[in-house]
Amino acid sequence: FYEEELDVPLVLFDDVLEHVLRIDSVLRNPMGHLLLVGESGAGKTVLSRFVSWMNGLSVFQIKASRKYTLQDFDEDLRDVMKRAGVSGEKICFL
């Protein structure tokens, strides 16, 4: 995962592995979904990407900015739904 996806090494310790296992158990379920809440920079996105990579899921992440509007979100959501529903692609939507 480090060589394919990340710019920095991923350090794993017991607490991180517990979070990875929790995320993994949810994403392995059909229609599994979860909401990760925490401080910025705590590793929520990295761990979600890691578990998605482990399970062969494509990752779609919103590129939010000041110019990102509700219409942009609507377009992004439509794109994800088409990819998942029509194409049958397994996607992790961040």
Side-chain angles (χ1 to χ4, degrees):
F1 175 74
Y2 162 67
E3 293 173 352
E4 295 177 21
E5 301 288 329
L6 284 181
D7 300 346
V8 296
L10 181 63
V11 178
L12 297 176
F13 49 92
D14 290 342
D15 290 338
V16 172
L17 289 176
E18 288 177 17
H19 289 304
V20 166
L21 292 174
R22 282 189 206 109
I23 295 169
D24 184 55
S25 69
V26 171
L27 292 184
R28 284 182 181 259
N29 290 323
M31 297 177 59
H33 60 280
L34 71 150
L35 176 66
L36 299 174
V37 179
E39 293 181 23
S40 178
K44 299 177 297 292
T45 303
V46 172
L47 292 182
S48 299
R49 285 181 175 277
F50 176 58
V51 174
S52 298
W53 176 81
M54 283 183 0
N55 291 309
L57 303 174
S58 300
V59 175
F60 183 89
Q61 185 170 4
I62 293 175
K63 309 285 189 289
S65 67
R66 288 180 182 240
K67 295 181 181 180
Y68 193 80
T69 64
L70 190 56
Q71 291 174 340
D72 294 328
F73 177 74
D74 188 46
E75 290 176 25
D76 286 343
L77 196 57
R78 284 176 197 258
D79 181 46
V80 169
M81 294 298 179
K82 284 179 187 174
R83 288 171 53 189
V86 176
S87 304
E89 186 178 346
K90 295 181 178 182
I91 298 178
C92 177
F93 181 62
L94 297 177

